[in-house]
Amino acid sequence: MTLVARSRAELDDALRPHRARGGTVGLVPTMGALHGGHAALVREAAERAGTVVVSLFVNPLQFGAGEDLDRYPRTFDADLEVCRANGAAVVFAPSVDEVYPGGDPQVTVEPGPLGGVLEGATRPGHYRGVLTVVAKLFGLVRPDAAVFGQKDYQQLVLVRRMVDDLCMGVDVVGAATVREDGGLALSSRNAYLDPGQRRSALALSRALRAGADAGPAGAARVLADAGAVLAAADGVDLDYLALTSPGLGDPPEAGEARLLVAARVGSTRLIDNLAVHLGTQEGHH
Ligand code: PAF
């Protein structure tokens, strides 16, 4: 059975018996509109912890002016079923007032320089909003582990950084991105795409794959091959294509790196990323 908690008090009541048994708690923070990628996060959490809490909360603090806060899909009944079917014991679905009782919080979590690049450059304040709500959820749920998707790779890196820098003692788990057959990364925002836009959106994962395939030939080749796919795509307005280290710094000469892309398809902003193994075979095709 999956219990629904709407308030802090209900959350404490729901978790009390689990805590009394001394079991571990796993948290999957979400904004609802759950899809197969979220289901995989819930299953991952269930493998790591005795009790899984899924939070469903569309966090106003991480949306900028003119972004999609009002039209963000809200599908509570279907979300509850996904949680139940994948082993969540508790769904925490608070109101905005419950999470931010006095309005916007006075004390927030500042993501530092990494919060201002890539997504943060286009969405100022976004990661401040994300880290602040994640810190609150950690305080409310007190999880042993928390599972995040790798699709928002920058978010995952920043949450890890917050947990390390602020000694939060939560095991942060990054789960692989789930993709449709054509490669499109599952995202709640895919619901905004019409069939033509959905076809255009496939260019993002195709570009990443082309870049990753060029990894042995080195960084310049990765960016050129991925960039060529995006340049040839119809209806894709590129925001950035970036090759970084796994921690989002400069890419290494050789070894593990990350290729990240963000683009607008129609009015929908999509992001995706892939691991790339960089080699130094300049002549590789
Ligand atoms: O990835 C998301 O859905 C959100 O950014 C999160 C982590 C639930 C915080 O609101």
Side-chain angles (χ1 to χ4, degrees):
M1 195 184 68
T2 304
L3 290 175
V4 177
R6 297 274 181 189
S7 65
R8 297 168 185 218
E10 286 177 10
L11 179 66
D12 286 342
D13 287 347
L15 283 176
R16 195 166 296 115
H18 301 277
R19 294 204 205 282
R21 283 200 301 274
T24 50
V25 174
L27 171 66
V28 181
T30 81
M31 299 206 299
L34 303 187
H35 48 62
H38 294 111
L41 303 184
V42 180
R43 290 196 297 274
E44 179 78 43
E47 274 178 22
R48 288 169 186 266
T51 300
V52 175
V53 179
V54 178
S55 61
L56 307 177
F57 179 64
V58 182
N59 173 34
L61 208 60
Q62 70 189 73
F63 288 78
E67 290 189 355
D68 56 347
L69 174 61
D70 293 335
R71 69 172 181 138
Y72 198 83
R74 286 157 170 91
T75 56
F76 181 78
D77 292 342
D79 292 350
L80 189 55
E81 179 50 27
V82 172
C83 294
R84 192 202 57 72
N86 290 280
V90 180
V91 163
F92 180 46
S95 66
V96 173
D97 278 352
E98 186 67 29
V99 176
Y100 300 117
D104 279 1
Q106 304 248 327
V107 175
T108 58
V109 180
E110 182 55 53
L114 276 186
V117 299
L118 302 168
E119 285 304 286
T122 305
R123 308 183 67 190
H126 172 65
Y127 286 115
R128 175 179 152 269
V130 169
L131 293 187
T132 301
V133 83
V134 170
K136 281 191 90 127
L137 290 167
F138 285 179
L140 289 162
V141 177
R142 287 175 281 134
D144 299 279
V147 185
F148 294 82
Q150 287 180 359
K151 199 191 64 105
D152 190 339
Y153 186 77
Q154 189 173 2
Q155 168 172 282
L156 176 62
V157 169
L158 281 167
V159 169
R160 285 212 163 103
R161 191 66 200 243
M162 172 179 76
V163 165
D164 284 352
D165 284 359
L166 302 182
C167 307
M168 289 177 155
V170 177
D171 180 16
V172 177
V173 179
T177 301
V178 178
R179 298 176 182 282
E180 291 181 1
D181 283 348
L184 182 65
L186 297 194
S187 163
S188 307
R189 290 191 167 97
N190 292 350
Y192 302 147
L193 302 172
D194 68 27
Q197 292 171 334
R198 193 170 268 269
R199 274 193 298 281
S200 298
L202 294 175
L204 272 70
S205 54
R206 238 187 7 252
L208 294 175
R209 177 51 48 216
D213 287 349
R221 193 53 194 266
V222 167
L223 287 168
D225 284 12
V229 173
L230 292 162
D234 276 339
V236 175
D237 182 9
L238 182 65
D239 181 355
Y240 60 78
L241 173 70
L243 185 65
T244 70
S245 69
L248 295 179
D250 291 337
E253 286 278 304
E256 287 313 311
R258 206 85 195 177
L259 184 61
L260 304 101
V261 66
R264 236 168 231 291
V265 177
S267 61
T268 306
R269 196 155 180 288
L270 298 174
I271 56 172
D272 199 356
N273 68 87
L274 210 57
V276 175
H277 190 84
L278 292 176
T280 50
Q281 306 165 31
E282 297 296 336
H284 178 96
H285 286 278

